[in-house]
Amino acid sequence: MKRKSFLLLFILCSLGLFAQDKGKRPSIGITLSGGGAKGLAHVGILKAIDSAGLKIDYVTGTSMGSIIGALYASGYSGDSIEKIGRDMDWDMLLSNSSSLRSFSMQEKEDYSKYAVELPWVDKTLRLPSGVLESQELWLRFNELFFPVHQIKDFSKFPRSFQCIATDVATGDIVVLDSGEIVQAARASMAIPSIFTAVNYKNRKLVDGGIVRNFPVINAKQMGADIVIGSNVSSPLLTKEKINNVFQVLLQIAFFREDADAKREEKLCDILVTHPLDDYSMGSFASSNEIIDAGIKTGRELYPKFKRMADSLNAIYGPEKPQPASLLPEKDSVKITSYVINGLHKTNPDFFVKRLNFHLNENYDQFQLSEKVRNAFGSNYYNKIVYSLIPLPDGSSKIIFDVEENPFTFMKLGINYNTFTGISLIGNITSHNLFTPFSRSQLTVNIGENFRIRGEQIQFFGKQKSFSVTGTTQLESVTINTYNDFTKQGVYNQGFFLGDLNLRYDPSRSLTFGIGGRYESLKYKPKVTPAIEVSGNINFWSGYFFLKQNSLSNAIYPRKGSKTEFEFGFTSKQDHDLQYKQNGNIIQEIRCNHSK
């Protein structure tokens, strides 16, 4: 410990003499490595640095280190980043699923219903890409970095910033120091085969950890006299721990990263390593524990950071105290123009109406996220990313980069309930198949019981507020009958449904309307009991309905509520039934009731 303290004092004194010759205070940089979920441990080091009053001038990072570093460079404090890390819904952000709340009421009925969904493109089924786009991750980044959206030169951030990505076409290192911070941070963390690559400045970029996972040299090149390096990457496995083919492949993949990290570590004036062997890159379920481990390490290093801050203040005088956060809690911009890129099947007018977006109005980051969800929730779009460009008059132009969904999907799922048994569900869903602004569905249940259902929704107005839905359903269900818990017979119930309703959706979580339906039930014994019933019942009904659904998930929701209300009346009933005992008719009922 005495040797380390002497070394730190020697570094400070040497840099102090060097800086005095130049008449300036030594600048300090911090480098945060990649490491997936383990990168959350960086938060504890930032908290310790803030508590010590040590001013950071330069920030560099890769992958998760670029996310944490970009937040810190943008002006967030260590405490603020800790709160962000603990509040994140990592399961949602690191998946291709979006919150159920993002979808319109019509689309919620199919949410998470099918195990497989394959798009129909160019007359063939396209297999899943196996990589994540995560619309919610893009929106969350837009919200977090909104206060610095007008700064396109990252050196102009409260703390100068650079992050590292890889050009997937050439394998070259790409240093990201300007442009859109949201896209830069997302590109730096785009782990190949897990996240989609990011098109940025005419390059296709992926995770920077492939080429430089611990970019200490970049902090030096930016001008840092002292560099604090926080590295959460694990060293190569020892031969005793390599027990299967997967570990061999991972070991080979990390050869280059390990060699590069050793070179970069030598450039650190203070190197921080983290005891995170119990966690992996994907341990986001243990995010709180990883943050706690980083905070523990930060507390151990706090005395060192405090001595450094006190020594610098003694030589150059105290720094002006930094506020707990350099960012406003809420901000808004006036948007006076827009550009939309990537539309082929839908047009700009349609897209803007679906956003429910209006020019010459002020929007904050959360309002813009809601606008994007309005369009995304229609299932016409796979990705909607926006950036804001400041204009000379103080307003902003918004640029939307859009990726459309294929119009037709084939879906498969398995369903089981105690009434109809187990069945395989096949579904075809297509937008604009017969008419513009429509959705067509055909669903078939094949199993112990058979069901086929067709649905056509026609939307009026490009915001999809009003719609007419027509539904037809046919099914055949086998029903067992019992007497004193003893099986007496087996019936086949045939069912036909025709339904037509008009609805209005004032929001993504509420719909109401009126409709009418015709239902027909036909009973026929398959195994004849002593007393049997056969025939049919038909009836017409009208109804008013109201549905509300603000659940965050269809299964095990954490937030929200769901309400369904229907008030109806039967206007006409027809009965044609026969009751038999031992094959002989004992009663017939034929009647027609109208109201």
Side-chain angles (χ1 to χ4, degrees):
M1 180 63 73
K2 290 182 179 180
R3 184 179 178 183
K4 290 182 179 180
S5 298
F6 176 78
L7 179 60
L8 177 60
L9 182 60
F10 176 78
I11 292 170
L12 290 171
C13 291
S14 300
L15 288 169
L17 291 172
F18 173 77
Q20 280 182 331
D21 290 339
K22 290 193 170 186
K24 72 177 186 71
R25 185 187 186 97
S27 57
I28 302 175
I30 185 166
T31 296
L32 308 178
S33 77
K38 295 193 292 184
L40 293 169
H42 294 314
V43 173
I45 307 306
L46 300 180
K47 284 170 61 73
I49 287 172
D50 288 347
S51 297
L54 194 59
K55 180 179 179 293
I56 299 297
D57 303 287
Y58 303 102
V59 182
T60 62
T62 298
S63 198
M64 180 58 80
S66 73
I67 308 303
I68 304 295
L71 291 171
Y72 195 61
S74 298
Y76 286 90
S77 65
D79 287 338
S80 299
I81 301 172
E82 178 192 1
K83 186 177 187 306
I84 291 168
R86 293 188 188 278
D87 292 344
M88 283 281 197
D89 185 348
W90 295 106
D91 289 339
M92 181 66 67
L93 294 179
L94 301 178
S95 72
N96 273 334
S97 299
S98 291
S99 170
L100 183 61
R101 295 178 174 182
S102 297
F103 291 92
S104 63
M105 286 294 291
Q106 302 267 20
E107 300 293 335
K108 287 181 180 181
E109 295 177 7
D110 282 350
Y111 180 89
S112 296
K113 185 176 181 180
Y114 299 97
V116 179
E117 297 188 17
L118 301 177
W120 181 262
V121 180
D122 297 329
K123 299 181 181 181
T124 186
L125 290 175
R126 179 180 293 175
L127 295 176
S129 64
V131 293
L132 303 178
E133 185 64 64
S134 186
Q135 176 66 41
E136 287 298 318
L137 184 63
W138 281 105
L139 290 179
R140 188 64 178 129
F141 281 2
N142 276 120
E143 292 169 1
L144 291 172
F145 294 113
F146 187 84
V148 293
H149 72 269
Q150 75 280 9
I151 303 176
K152 307 305 179 182
D153 180 352
F154 303 163
S155 68
K156 304 299 183 184
F157 283 176
R159 302 177 179 98
S160 185
F161 176 70
Q162 289 183 4
C163 63
I164 306 299
T166 305
D167 187 326
V168 72
T170 64
D172 292 340
I173 293 174
V174 181
V175 179
L176 302 175
D177 57 6
S178 62
E180 297 298 329
I181 184 59
V182 170
Q183 295 187 33
R186 171 64 172 77
S188 183
M189 64 163 287
I191 302 171
S193 78
I194 297 178
F195 286 99
T196 55
V198 175
N199 294 315
Y200 188 68
K201 293 186 176 182
N202 298 319
R203 289 185 168 189
K204 189 177 284 290
L205 303 181
V206 294
D207 194 300
I210 298 170
V211 289
R212 185 174 293 165
N213 195 54
F214 193 35
V216 180
I217 191 172
N218 294 85
K220 290 285 190 181
Q221 291 170 349
M222 292 169 74
D225 299 312
I226 303 171
V227 177
I228 302 168
S230 177
N231 190 358
V232 298
S233 295
S234 301
L236 293 174
L237 297 174
T238 62
K239 62 180 181 180
E240 292 79 15
K241 293 184 178 181
I242 302 175
N243 300 313
N244 56 58
V245 65
F246 298 107
Q247 290 173 332
V248 170
L249 293 174
L250 284 174
Q251 187 86 337
I252 294 171
F254 288 132
F255 278 162
R256 180 175 177 179
E257 178 187 322
D258 186 70
D260 181 73
K262 289 177 180 177
R263 289 192 296 268
E264 299 286 336
E265 286 176 354
K266 293 177 182 179
L267 300 175
C268 293
D269 297 287
I270 298 178
L271 174 63
V272 182
T273 57
H274 298 260
L276 298 171
D277 292 341
D278 294 336
Y279 306 100
S280 70
M281 294 176 62
S283 298
F284 286 96
S286 302
S287 57
N288 286 333
E289 290 83 352
I290 294 172
I291 292 173
D292 290 339
I295 291 174
K296 180 180 178 182
T297 301
R299 285 173 179 160
E300 294 171 357
L301 290 166
Y302 169 79
K304 182 180 292 188
F305 296 146
K306 181 62 174 172
R307 285 195 298 271
M308 179 184 288
D310 291 344
S311 298
L312 290 172
N313 289 339
I315 298 170
Y316 301 100
E319 283 277 307
K320 292 182 180 179
Q322 290 180 272
S325 176
L326 304 177
L327 300 175
E329 292 185 1
K330 187 176 181 181
D331 197 3
S332 64
V333 294
K334 183 178 182 180
I335 299 177
T336 55
S337 63
Y338 62 81
V339 174
I340 307 170
N341 301 317
L343 296 182
H344 303 289
K345 299 178 181 179
T346 57
N347 57 54
D349 185 52
F350 176 82
F351 177 75
V352 171
K353 291 291 179 62
R354 299 295 281 277
L355 288 171
N356 193 21
F357 174 80
H358 305 282
L359 290 178
N360 300 311
E361 291 190 6
N362 283 58
Y363 295 101
D364 64 35
Q365 62 267 50
F366 305 109
Q367 291 169 331
L368 287 173
S369 290
E370 286 303 296
K371 298 299 180 185
V372 170
R373 290 187 182 103
N374 285 338
F376 182 79
S378 67
N379 260 345
Y380 273 92
Y381 305 102
N382 179 56
K383 180 180 72 173
I384 303 172
V385 180
Y386 73 84
S387 55
L388 294 165
I389 308 300
L391 299 176
D393 63 359
S395 64
S396 292
K397 174 172 68 176
I398 189 167
I399 299 177
F400 294 101
D401 291 297
V402 181
E403 182 181 303
E404 294 171 312
N405 267 328
F407 273 4
T408 301
F409 278 83
M410 308 287 188
K411 308 176 184 180
L412 287 174
I414 296 176
N415 178 68
Y416 173 78
N417 62 60
T418 55
F419 181 69
T420 60
I422 190 168
S423 61
L424 177 68
I425 307 176
N427 173 277
I428 302 175
T429 299
S430 184
H431 287 88
N432 299 4
L433 179 63
F434 301 112
T435 58
F437 316 126
S438 67
R439 190 191 76 179
S440 309
Q441 278 194 332
L442 180 66
T443 306
V444 180
N445 286 39
I446 301 174
E448 296 179 35
N449 298 283
F450 175 79
R451 176 188 301 147
I452 184 169
R453 178 183 178 91
E455 182 181 79
Q456 176 72 18
I457 304 175
Q458 180 63 55
F459 301 101
F460 297 98
K462 297 176 183 178
Q463 295 182 36
K464 290 180 70 174
S465 298
F466 287 98
S467 62
V468 171
T469 302
T471 305
T472 300
Q473 179 173 318
L474 288 168
E475 68 177 46
S476 176
V477 180
T478 300
I479 301 174
N480 298 319
T481 59
Y482 297 86
N483 184 22
D484 292 331
F485 302 100
T486 301
K487 186 176 179 179
Q488 297 292 313
V490 179
Y491 281 84
N492 176 263
Q493 174 186 284
F495 175 73
F496 171 80
L497 167 71
D499 187 292
L500 185 68
N501 65 64
L502 172 68
R503 67 171 66 190
Y504 174 68
D505 299 349
S507 70
R508 296 196 307 272
S509 60
L510 181 66
T511 184
F512 59 86
I514 58 173
R517 65 170 66 101
Y518 170 76
E519 296 176 76
S520 176
L521 293 158
K522 185 174 182 179
Y523 299 94
K524 184 178 180 180
K526 293 179 67 176
V527 177
T528 304
I531 298 178
E532 64 177 90
V533 180
S534 62
N536 57 75
I537 302 173
N538 310 316
F539 54 93
W540 296 82
S541 59
Y543 59 90
F544 166 82
F545 67 92
L546 183 149
K547 298 181 180 181
Q548 177 270 336
N549 186 342
S550 61
L551 297 178
S552 58
N553 304 84
I555 302 173
Y556 302 123
R558 299 178 181 178
K559 297 179 181 178
S561 61
K562 181 178 180 180
T563 304
E564 294 189 5
F565 169 82
E566 182 176 300
F567 172 78
F569 61 92
T570 301
S571 61
K572 184 179 180 180
Q573 297 183 58
D574 295 321
H575 303 269
D576 186 0
L577 301 173
Q578 287 186 342
Y579 292 86
K580 296 181 180 180
Q581 185 173 13
N582 298 321
N584 299 314
I585 298 175
I586 58 175
Q587 186 177 8
E588 292 184 314
I589 300 176
R590 291 186 175 89
C591 60
N592 183 307
H593 296 290
S594 299
K595 292 186 179 179

